Amino acid sequence: MKKLSPLELEVLQYIYEAGTTTAPDVHAQIAKKRQTAYSTIKTVFDRLEKKGAIYRKSQVGRTSIYAPKETETSVQTSLLRDFVTRVFPKDKTPLFNTLIRDTSLSEEEVVYLERLLEEKRK
């Protein structure tokens, strides 16, 4: 997955939540939080389509209905791997410190991390 801008990620999140959606629907959701032109959102949809993140599933009149091309987990994994490789090329200790010390983790997440560490040690 190519790099995504913050707005592209936000739009993609709306698409994942909806399963299938249109640019006007996502624009309406984003407009509830901040002023953004419809043309900006439509451009983001076009960019996401070019990057292979979404595709036109169908059309109703002149409105395209879009769906994600990859699973949310697949995209998250790809983007996270790219980020970790670029930002922490050698020492990942600061990453772990931030995730574990500076982030509030649920008991389930802590148990999951412990299980992953046990598997890594084997």
Side-chain angles (χ1 to χ4, degrees):
M1 172 70 50
K2 295 180 181 181
K3 294 178 188 174
L4 300 177
S5 73
L7 184 56
E8 288 170 338
L9 282 170
E10 183 178 2
V11 167
L12 191 55
Q13 188 61 46
Y14 282 111
I15 296 168
Y16 280 123
E17 287 173 12
T20 59
T21 193
T22 65
D25 288 344
V26 171
H27 176 253
Q29 292 297 316
I30 291 175
K32 291 178 185 176
K33 293 196 277 185
R34 67 180 176 282
Q35 189 175 2
T36 305
Y38 171 76
S39 60
T40 300
I41 301 304
K42 182 61 177 116
T43 298
V44 169
F45 269 77
D46 293 342
R47 287 183 186 160
L48 287 171
E49 188 175 22
K50 284 180 187 169
K51 290 180 178 184
I54 63 174
Y55 70 99
R56 292 175 200 230
K57 185 172 184 171
S58 60
Q59 190 134 352
V60 176
R62 295 183 60 192
T63 304
S64 296
I65 299 172
Y66 294 87
K69 219 172 194 181
E70 297 181 43
T71 66
E72 185 174 13
T73 302
S74 173
V75 170
Q76 289 170 337
T77 300
S78 175
L79 293 172
L80 191 55
R81 279 189 181 133
D82 179 61
F83 172 80
V84 170
T85 300
R86 285 184 296 109
V87 178
F88 304 98
K90 295 177 184 172
D91 182 15
K92 294 175 184 39
T93 305
L95 170 66
F96 302 139
N97 281 331
T98 300
L99 286 175
I100 294 170
R101 291 191 176 147
D102 298 344
T103 306
S104 130
L105 298 172
S106 71
E107 183 62 30
E108 291 173 355
E109 291 167 328
V110 170
V111 169
Y112 180 75
L113 284 172
E114 288 171 340
R115 196 169 354 118
L116 285 176
L117 289 171
E118 281 301 316
E119 289 174 12
K120 188 71 172 174
R121 287 186 184 114
K122 292 180 183 179

